[in-house]
Amino acid sequence: MSGPVPPAGTTTLLVIAKEPVPGRVKTRLSPPFSPGEAAELAAAALEDTLRTVLTLPARRRVLVLEGRPGPWTPHGFDVLPQSAGPLDERIAAAFGTCTGPALLIGMDTPQITPALLAPALSPGGWDGCDAWFGPAEDGGFWALGLAAPDPGLVRGVPMSLPDTGELQRARLTDAGLTVRNLPPLRDVDTAKDAVRVAAAAPDGRFAAALSRLGRAVVR
């Protein structure tokens, strides 16, 4: 059965994600969660993210996936395999598939809403703007948008460091780009993060999965 027609826009939306397989995703959630529970939380986070992206105006919606699609993959997305290599190479390759403005997000911020991304996706979102940057509270970034996707703007930026976001933003500004910021968000990395993110989006599938698991975590 087909669902509502997703709204059209001018920006390609990229979601970079891993198939939620136990032992391969959200490993920092174990303990207190088992690998299977961590994968269940990852699947819920990914499903929330994809469903929100379906409500956003886009030229094209692409799931850049490590692994295989599953029942959590909604209609309305093209699915492309991630490239090989470290994360900067995989993000760079994802942008390399795009022509025209593109905005990339991950699967670790299921609390995203249309309002959070509205500044970048509004009709004038790219007027006088070369890049959009969404900083993460852990020092990384949760969103990166490029008016003219250039893999070289990402390739070689060290990932998963406390200053990754700072380094990535500096790469943009050093290239002479005009950068606008999206609000900072918390990634789901640890159990403590999971509790806070679920509290920020209590009606989502991620919050429901965390509640269903019923495991005491550090608050």
Side-chain angles (χ1 to χ4, degrees):
M1 182 183 298
S2 61
V5 177
T10 60
T11 300
T12 296
L13 296 179
L14 304 164
V15 179
I16 189 164
K18 289 183 178 181
E19 179 187 3
V21 175
R24 293 178 57 190
V25 292
K26 297 289 104 196
T27 55
R28 290 176 62 189
L29 292 177
S30 303
F33 300 101
S34 70
E37 291 169 337
E40 183 179 346
L41 289 169
L46 181 53
E47 189 174 1
D48 278 345
T49 301
L50 296 177
R51 288 179 178 271
T52 297
V53 170
L54 277 178
T55 70
L56 303 174
R59 176 185 181 186
R60 183 185 180 207
R61 296 166 184 82
V62 183
L63 174 60
V64 186
L65 184 65
E66 179 184 314
R68 297 175 297 178
W72 37 263
T73 312
H75 295 292
F77 280 84
D78 297 330
V79 180
L80 296 180
Q82 285 187 31
S83 71
L87 182 56
D88 64 300
E89 291 284 352
R90 288 179 274 144
I91 293 175
F95 277 115
T97 67
C98 301
T99 57
L103 178 69
L104 177 141
I105 61 175
M107 60 182 285
D108 296 336
T109 49
Q111 73 273 40
I112 61 167
T113 64
L116 279 171
L117 290 161
L121 300 178
S122 66
W126 295 104
D127 292 349
C129 177
D130 301 309
W132 285 93
F133 185 78
E137 293 183 6
D138 65 0
F141 60 93
W142 66 270
L144 178 62
L146 299 173
D150 176 0
L153 292 169
V154 181
R155 187 174 289 121
V157 174
M159 296 287 156
S160 302
L161 298 177
D163 59 350
T164 288
E166 179 182 346
L167 294 170
Q168 178 60 74
R169 200 180 193 287
R171 174 70 68 86
L172 305 176
T173 55
D174 289 348
L177 304 187
T178 298
V179 183
R180 294 178 183 164
N181 284 336
L182 293 166
L185 289 182
R186 177 180 289 267
D187 287 338
V188 175
D189 288 323
T190 66
K192 184 176 181 180
D193 295 331
V195 171
R196 294 187 179 180
V197 168
D203 298 325
R205 290 165 179 77
F206 180 79
L210 186 64
S211 176
R212 184 171 61 253
L213 291 172
R215 189 67 60 87
V217 296
V218 177
R219 295 181 181 271

